[in-house]
Amino acid sequence: MPSTQSSLYPLLFEPLFRDYLWGGQRLHTNLGKRTGSGVWAESWEIVDHQANQSVVANGPFQGRKLQELMGEFQGRLVGQRIWEKINAPAVPARLRGRFPLLIKFLDAAKDLSVQVHPDDGQAARLAPPDLGKTEAWYVIGCEPGSKIYAGLTAGTNREKFQNAIACGETEKLLNSFRPKVGDCVFIPAGTQHAIGAGLLILEVQQASDTTFRVYDWNRVDAMGKPRDLHIHQALDVTNFSQGPIFPQPTKMDADGGRHLVSCSYFSITEHSGERNMKLGQDDRFEIVVVIDGTPEIGDLNLRVGQTVLLPPLVGGYDSKLHKRDKILQIWIP
């Protein structure tokens, strides 16, 4: 029997862990993830992408996949406007009706590869088609000397970059800077980028997993083989007019939140300090990620590292932040 609208509630999900060669242990030590003592690179908090499916961890829907809830509740889960947007004719048929964002934590104990993602039009022409991947990074932890690589140095064109790759001098044309905790970096599709060693990151992105690597710091795996590169594809999707990228300038919202980034795919605001507030809207879903403290949202008492999906609710959800609490509020404008 289909569930009624009143059955919707704030949803927690079981994280999906990913083990890559650059991972560390901070998903467990800093964020409380149940990874044990092993080395893990990513924790996918909310995802609806092909076989990668978030599974509900709380309440009556416990054990059900996000994809199933999307099919059952549709606009009641994400908001009618957003439901229509993700089912528009411009979206490839096999991708329609999919939850539009992917939320993940990344623990970079080593440098990630230098890579780039296609935009929606380019990704739609792949076989099989995918969404583009515009993303943003929020810096949770930062060791001294850590770097972020974002965009190319001013004046770098395709020919110059291609020659640098061929000569083993890719790094010379990468724009880089030393971030600090609380920085937000916006990475539009088509931007060459890499997360440097020592960073713990919260990533908000389109629900895509298409990546083209151009450089992997000359690393090899346990068998002595380098990882695959995708230089031709990467050059084809790189936006060479992008130029260097640095942390987002931020401004305070009327309600005291620190607005970090806004684009057609997502907006992010940071809230911190002791206050009572409303989260969620009557016409759209929101995602809340706990960066620090023990905030209360609706009937949930949350902790560091937890991510909750708030379905649309008239009047929003009563929420309480304590003195040391810090959360990120994420939505689609």
Side-chain angles (χ1 to χ4, degrees):
M1 170 182 288
S3 302
T4 63
Q5 183 173 2
S6 61
S7 296
L8 287 168
Y9 57 91
L11 298 167
L12 300 171
F13 297 94
E14 298 289 349
L16 300 177
F17 299 123
R18 293 291 181 266
D19 179 14
Y20 304 128
L21 58 83
W22 44 264
Q25 296 183 325
R26 287 179 295 180
L27 296 178
H28 173 66
T29 59
N30 290 43
L31 300 178
K33 300 297 178 182
R34 297 176 183 175
T35 58
S37 58
V39 173
W40 294 93
E42 296 183 352
S43 176
W44 291 19
E45 298 292 293
I46 299 180
V47 58
D48 173 14
H49 186 273
Q50 300 177 17
N52 298 302
Q53 287 293 318
S54 288
V55 174
V56 178
N58 68 315
F61 296 152
Q62 185 172 1
R64 294 190 62 184
K65 295 179 180 178
L66 178 55
Q67 187 178 67
E68 296 173 5
L69 298 184
M70 287 291 291
E72 179 175 335
F73 287 100
Q74 302 181 6
R76 290 176 289 163
L77 179 61
V78 296
Q80 188 59 36
R81 174 181 58 85
I82 294 171
W83 179 254
E84 292 172 1
K85 182 177 181 178
I86 62 179
N87 284 281
V91 179
R94 71 189 301 271
L95 305 178
R96 294 173 192 166
R98 196 165 76 185
F99 191 79
L101 297 180
L102 196 164
I103 311 296
K104 64 172 74 167
F105 292 107
L106 300 90
D107 177 13
K110 301 176 183 177
D111 292 328
L112 275 67
S113 62
V114 179
Q115 55 192 247
V116 64
H117 309 298
D119 63 23
D120 285 339
Q122 294 160 340
R125 296 191 292 270
L126 299 174
D130 203 353
L131 297 177
K133 187 178 175 185
T134 286
E135 60 192 77
W137 304 333
Y138 178 88
V139 179
I140 300 172
C142 180
E143 295 180 1
S146 294
K147 287 184 178 182
I148 279 178
Y149 303 85
L152 301 174
T153 57
T156 299
N157 57 25
R158 177 171 179 146
E159 181 181 8
K160 187 175 180 180
F161 191 52
Q162 188 169 3
N163 289 339
I165 294 170
C167 295
E169 297 180 342
T170 305
E171 189 174 353
K172 291 183 178 181
L173 297 184
L174 301 176
N175 173 65
S176 67
F177 60 89
R178 299 191 187 282
K180 63 182 184 302
V181 170
D183 278 349
C184 183
V185 185
F186 180 54
I187 307 290
T191 304
Q192 293 286 339
H193 62 273
I195 295 172
L199 292 171
L200 182 63
I201 297 285
L202 185 279
E203 180 174 297
V204 179
Q205 61 162 89
Q206 291 179 264
S208 170
D209 198 29
T210 298
T211 297
F212 300 132
R213 285 191 296 270
V214 299
Y215 182 58
D216 197 35
W217 315 101
N218 301 315
R219 290 182 293 209
V220 295
D221 62 19
M223 303 299 293
K225 296 181 179 180
R227 289 205 290 175
D228 291 337
L229 300 179
H230 320 97
I231 294 172
H232 177 74
Q233 299 97 316
L235 290 171
D236 282 347
V237 304
T238 297
N239 178 4
F240 287 100
S241 65
Q242 175 69 65
I245 287 176
F246 296 95
Q248 287 285 106
T250 59
K251 61 181 180 180
M252 302 305 292
D253 288 345
D255 63 355
R258 179 173 164 250
H259 190 64
L260 301 174
V261 64
S262 186
C263 66
S264 61
Y265 300 109
F266 51 77
S267 289
I268 308 173
T269 296
E270 175 196 273
H271 299 280
S272 61
E274 188 171 7
R275 72 176 80 173
N276 294 320
M277 61 186 303
K278 291 282 189 179
L279 292 169
Q281 298 287 330
D282 59 1
D283 62 347
R284 71 182 188 214
F285 76 88
E286 289 187 356
I287 295 169
V288 175
V289 181
V290 183
I291 303 300
D292 199 4
T294 55
E296 302 169 31
I297 300 177
D299 295 329
L300 294 176
N301 295 311
L302 301 171
R303 55 174 173 74
V304 173
Q306 286 193 301
T307 301
V308 58
L309 171 59
L310 303 178
L313 179 68
V314 174
Y317 298 82
D318 291 325
S319 305
K320 181 176 182 179
L321 271 63
H322 308 99
K323 186 174 182 180
R324 64 182 291 260
D325 292 353
K326 183 179 294 183
I327 64 170
L328 297 184
Q329 178 189 25
I330 303 160
W331 72 96
I332 295 178

